Amino acid sequence: MKFNTKTIHGGQKPDAAYGSVMPPIYQTSTYAQTTPGGHNGYEYSRSANPTRTALENALASIENGHFGLAFGSGLAAIDAVIKLLEPGDEVISTNDLYGGTYRLFTSIFEKFGIKFNFIGMANASNIENYITNKTKLIWVETPTNPMMNIIDIKTTAKIANEHNILLAVDNTFATPYLQQPLDLGADIVMHSVTKYLGGHSDLVMGALIVKEKALADKLYFIQNASGAVCGPQDSFLALRGIKTLHVRMQRHCENGKIVASYLASHPKIENVYWPGFESHPNHNIAKAQMRDFGGMVSFTTKGNNYEEAIKIVEQLKVFTLAESLGGVESLAGHPASMTHASIPKEEREKTGVVDSLIRLSVGIEDEADLINDLKQAIG
Ligand code: P1T
């Protein structure tokens, strides 16, 4: 099955009871048993729920994995991955990443004795400098949030494999429409389903997708034992969102290119971060591992003035000033004071998250309205 068919049919079959094409929302916590243990595969909805199963099958299919697991948020999915580790283990992570992931790693898991090295991975071979015999996981976001750095998944997977280290890729910004990390050698794909997969800014959810059964079993054990699952209503919405992922992503990419090019030509703009530019340091890697360049664009204004950046995001009218990304509507954010405020200023500025940085999630509205909105807000 090709990708554009998998988004609609992958892992799906009509419901056994009445043939409904969409799975029913099985709004139930529990399932009747004929005798203790005598049930049809479902006994309690933390362990499994048929609507969630339909979603998990769709997730596995679109990422070319064999097993999908859906969680109550993206961070809950990341939390489950780190719970594979033991005190004393080490993780090598991208230094530019979602602020909430950084906070989870440093404020929660460091105190349980897990050590995190946050490093630049623009040159993947840099990873080798940080590998010790305690390194158990490499954590990669690509494109990164919010600086749009591109990390070479294939080379990273080769390094991870040679040292018997797990590679997890946060594929939230790219989605499987643009890149499929499991095919490039990653062990785990993670999503904030809240974003492009859901696609309509109406739910919070996370996902993990893997190929290996033994790894899936460990993650399933953690999912059930820790309990951070999503409910059947949200599973239904995510499944509906996934069905239009390919058409939405195509438009996000078209509009992203138009917006990035407009900003690059604006005299008040200093830097535009978007992997589609030939001047992007890892443009060639982006071209090799991604089908297109996505709808996320970050930029800074000349003079790096905090107040000016705040004024711009406040004046936008079609773009909504809000956290999050990946919905049909365009959003603008100020990472230093919003999504990345939990990263200390010295740390975030090292990776380029400066006071004038603005991040756009370019939606699928008419491009003329988006450009006119930016024009009036930037001046
Ligand atoms: O918000 P949640 O569903 O828990 O997902 C966390 C997360 C993980 N990974 C990436 C790359 C993310 O961007 C996020 C969430 N990000 C935002 C809310 C944001 O505005 O950047």
Side-chain angles (χ1 to χ4, degrees):
M1 232 187 255
K2 301 266 197 245
F3 184 78
N4 294 355
T5 310
K6 279 188 173 181
T7 56
I8 297 163
H9 297 290
Q12 305 306 299
K13 52 180 190 298
D15 185 64
Y18 297 107
S20 70
V21 168
M22 282 300 281
I25 301 170
Y26 282 96
Q27 193 69 49
T28 187
S29 58
T30 194
Y31 307 80
Q33 306 192 12
T34 48
T35 183
H39 55 74
N40 295 329
Y42 293 92
E43 52 189 336
Y44 185 58
S45 280
R46 170 163 35 73
S47 310
N49 171 286
T51 319
R52 197 176 92 216
T53 303
L55 169 66
E56 291 177 333
N57 291 342
L59 290 164
S61 169
I62 58 174
E63 281 289 3
N64 293 342
H66 299 313
F67 305 93
L69 299 116
F71 293 81
S73 70
L75 285 177
I78 302 171
D79 178 270
V81 175
I82 306 302
K83 284 177 178 161
L84 291 168
L85 308 180
E86 304 282 338
D89 287 349
E90 295 182 6
V91 179
I92 301 174
S93 165
T94 334
N95 59 357
D96 179 42
L97 78 172
Y98 171 54
T101 309
Y102 177 89
R103 181 178 54 196
L104 176 66
F105 289 173
T106 55
S107 300
I108 305 284
F109 282 110
E110 270 181 1
K111 69 173 184 241
F112 292 108
I114 295 168
K115 186 179 163 200
F116 295 86
N117 295 285
F118 296 95
I119 68 161
M121 295 186 181
N123 181 351
S125 61
N126 187 33
I127 294 168
E128 286 182 299
N129 298 327
Y130 294 85
I131 293 176
T132 73
N133 58 5
K134 293 184 178 155
T135 309
K136 295 287 157 52
L137 174 71
I138 299 174
W139 186 266
V140 162
E141 241 183 60
T142 182
T144 60
N145 179 0
M147 297 309 298
M148 310 301 295
N149 291 307
I150 298 293
I151 293 151
D152 183 338
I153 298 172
K154 215 184 215 173
T155 305
T156 307
K158 191 163 167 280
I159 294 168
N161 200 27
E162 273 165 16
H163 293 87
N164 208 16
I165 298 168
L166 282 176
L167 170 61
V169 175
D170 182 335
N171 205 25
T172 299
F173 270 34
T175 83
Y177 174 82
L178 295 179
Q179 74 190 7
Q180 289 163 313
L182 296 178
D183 287 350
L184 300 173
D187 300 290
I188 302 174
V189 165
M190 176 265 153
H191 277 281
S192 170
V193 179
T194 317
K195 311 300 179 332
Y196 288 105
L197 298 192
H200 298 76
S201 304
D202 52 9
L203 56 89
V204 172
M205 189 187 287
L208 300 175
I209 302 106
V210 301
K211 277 192 166 161
E212 287 271 317
K213 173 141 190 355
L215 183 55
D217 287 347
K218 283 186 200 164
L219 290 167
Y220 173 71
F221 179 83
I222 294 167
Q223 182 194 38
N224 186 44
S226 287
V229 294
C230 54
Q233 301 251 6
D234 283 352
S235 299
F236 180 90
L237 285 175
L239 198 51
R240 184 164 74 163
I242 288 170
K243 286 176 192 289
T244 55
L245 177 67
H246 51 300
V247 277
R248 286 185 287 107
M249 284 309 291
Q250 194 182 339
R251 280 285 287 160
H252 281 295
C253 292
E254 286 165 12
N255 280 358
K257 181 177 184 181
I258 291 166
V259 165
S261 307
Y262 169 73
L263 292 169
S265 70
H266 198 293
K268 287 193 182 167
I269 303 302
E270 177 86 54
N271 293 306
V272 183
Y273 302 97
W274 180 67
F277 290 134
E278 275 177 28
S279 56
H280 184 288
N282 274 351
H283 174 69
N284 285 338
I285 294 167
K287 251 173 54 183
Q289 71 186 21
M290 297 169 77
R291 181 209 287 225
D292 204 336
F293 304 108
M296 296 300 297
V297 181
S298 297
F299 66 98
T300 56
T301 50
K302 285 194 175 137
N304 189 30
N305 184 314
Y306 176 88
E307 283 74 25
E308 191 189 12
I310 299 297
K311 220 170 98 193
I312 292 171
V313 293
E314 284 176 355
Q315 279 174 354
L316 286 165
K317 293 188 170 62
V318 180
F319 284 83
T320 302
L321 173 59
E323 307 240 355
S324 204
L325 59 110
V328 289
E329 64 287 289
S330 291
L331 301 181
H334 182 251
S337 62
M338 296 168 71
T339 46
H340 293 69
S342 54
I343 304 178
K345 189 173 160 75
E346 322 78 70
E347 286 303 311
R348 67 172 162 77
E349 289 196 338
K350 272 190 218 160
T351 59
V353 185
V354 295
D355 283 349
S356 77
L357 187 80
I358 292 171
R359 190 191 72 185
L360 301 178
S361 171
V362 182
I364 62 171
E365 300 95 336
D366 191 287
E367 65 267 25
D369 290 323
L370 300 181
I371 298 300
N372 285 336
D373 194 30
L374 290 165
K375 215 177 258 178
Q376 64 79 24
I378 299 169

